[in-house]
Amino acid sequence: MKTEASYMLRNYDRLLLSCGQNSPYICRDSYAPSMLDEMENLFRKRIEHLNWFYLTVIDLPLISDLNTLAGNYYMLRPEITRDPRMRLQERNYNRILDADGLLDQFVYVNNACNQELLRVHTSGDHSMGTLHDICFKVCSVRYNWFSKIMGVVAANLDWVETVTIETDRQSRGDPPVIFQREGLVFDHMPAAQFMDLRKDPVVMKKLLARPLGTRDPRIRGLAEGKTIFESFPGTRESMKKVNTAIERLKKDTREFW
């Protein structure tokens, strides 16, 4: 493990993938003023990030969805020259007829990638007292990464000194929130203390019981008093998804953090 480096933890096989110094993103900020601008930035300025996800994810439907996003983007933007660095095949994808549907696909692909991959950053700034801190940035929805996080720390105890778990600004649109549960605050927690949690089966059961993630931003919007149409941008968002969000909100009004 290297200092001041970025990694991605893949949930299917628990593999920690190196990303150099910068984490790849489909959408850098899910609360950006314009999701359309976020999509344009991906295809015009960050095409290498799209390539990275295409070559890394192993969920076959998600690979197909990435192809669908790229194929429809260039089909609906004929004035834009296809970036020669594009690695996606753009074959046999489902046709999307308008810009609203394309934007919905962009949001869906972003969320799906966040479910499969977790961003991991390492620190190397000794002057700030954070030398050899490993930070896990959670941006998935209703998914518990805790056992996988513990596996990464256990495999790198020769390097890791402290452990931090927080939300990712990309999914919340506000400053990161440190993960707190069962009286524990996962903010530069000493690695030895973190691993000792395995010795308490009661605490571990509780840590693994609830999702370690954030609310779906659309559900969060409803909780903050936004209208359905404000929380669910895109005219092609199905009413089934809207109803599902409302039912989840009724059943679970507690914040995960």
Side-chain angles (χ1 to χ4, degrees):
M1 183 160 282
K2 300 178 181 179
T3 59
E4 298 181 333
S6 296
Y7 298 85
M8 283 283 208
L9 175 59
R10 194 163 56 193
N11 64 12
Y12 288 105
D13 53 11
R14 302 179 180 230
L15 188 63
L16 193 64
L17 305 162
S18 177
C19 304
Q21 289 188 323
N22 298 308
S23 294
Y25 282 92
I26 295 294
C27 172
R28 280 191 180 276
D29 188 352
S30 292
Y31 272 65
S34 172
M35 291 300 290
L36 180 60
D37 289 342
E38 285 293 304
M39 182 174 64
E40 295 293 343
N41 285 336
L42 174 66
F43 280 94
R44 299 191 186 197
K45 299 179 180 180
R46 295 185 287 107
I47 200 69
E48 69 279 3
H49 289 197
L50 186 60
N51 288 334
W52 190 91
F53 282 102
Y54 177 67
L55 297 173
T56 303
V57 298
I58 58 179
D59 180 64
L60 293 180
L62 179 51
I63 294 173
S64 176
D65 289 332
L66 285 164
N67 270 316
T68 295
L69 176 64
N72 282 284
Y73 177 83
Y74 289 115
M75 181 184 71
L76 294 172
R77 301 283 199 283
E79 74 281 4
I80 297 176
T81 303
R82 185 184 186 279
D83 193 309
R85 296 172 298 168
M86 172 68 75
R87 298 289 295 275
L88 279 74
Q89 302 300 311
E90 303 172 43
R91 292 196 298 262
N92 301 321
Y93 58 85
N94 297 321
R95 297 298 194 271
I96 296 175
L97 300 179
D98 58 29
D100 287 330
L102 180 62
L103 195 58
D104 288 341
Q105 180 73 9
F106 171 74
V107 173
Y108 174 81
V109 165
N110 178 66
N111 292 339
C113 287
N114 288 339
Q115 291 298 110
E116 182 170 331
L117 295 154
L118 170 67
R119 289 174 183 84
V120 183
H121 292 173
T122 60
S123 173
D125 189 351
H126 186 70
S127 64
M128 298 297 292
T130 57
L131 183 66
H132 288 198
D133 178 68
I134 186 168
C135 180
F136 298 87
K137 294 180 171 291
V138 180
C139 54
S140 57
V141 176
R142 303 185 69 86
Y143 182 80
N144 196 315
W145 288 92
F146 200 83
S147 64
K148 296 176 177 63
I149 289 174
M150 185 161 280
V152 171
V153 176
N156 294 278
L157 281 175
D158 59 334
W159 186 94
V160 177
E161 294 180 1
T162 58
V163 179
T164 299
I165 308 176
E166 65 183 20
T167 57
D168 192 335
R169 169 168 162 57
Q170 180 233 12
S171 64
R172 294 180 67 94
D174 49 19
V177 178
I178 297 295
F179 175 55
Q180 301 182 45
R181 190 167 296 169
E182 305 306 321
L184 300 167
V185 180
F186 294 88
D187 184 7
H188 295 84
M189 178 181 286
Q193 178 186 353
F194 182 80
M195 296 308 300
D196 280 346
L197 295 174
R198 297 181 298 179
K199 300 176 182 179
D200 191 330
V202 175
V203 170
M204 281 301 298
K205 182 178 180 180
K206 291 180 178 179
L207 289 173
L208 295 173
R210 290 170 52 201
L212 173 57
T214 66
R215 286 184 178 275
D216 186 316
R218 297 169 300 181
I219 301 176
R220 184 167 173 240
L222 292 174
E224 293 173 348
K226 294 182 179 179
T227 67
I228 288 177
F229 296 104
E230 289 173 330
S231 299
F232 289 78
T235 58
R236 288 188 174 274
E237 188 72 60
S238 70
M239 287 306 299
K240 181 179 180 180
K241 291 182 180 179
V242 177
N243 291 331
T244 299
I246 293 173
E247 289 303 315
R248 285 181 181 172
L249 186 62
K250 290 179 179 178
K251 293 178 181 179
D252 184 8
T253 57
R254 297 177 302 174
E255 287 287 348
F256 294 138
W257 300 88

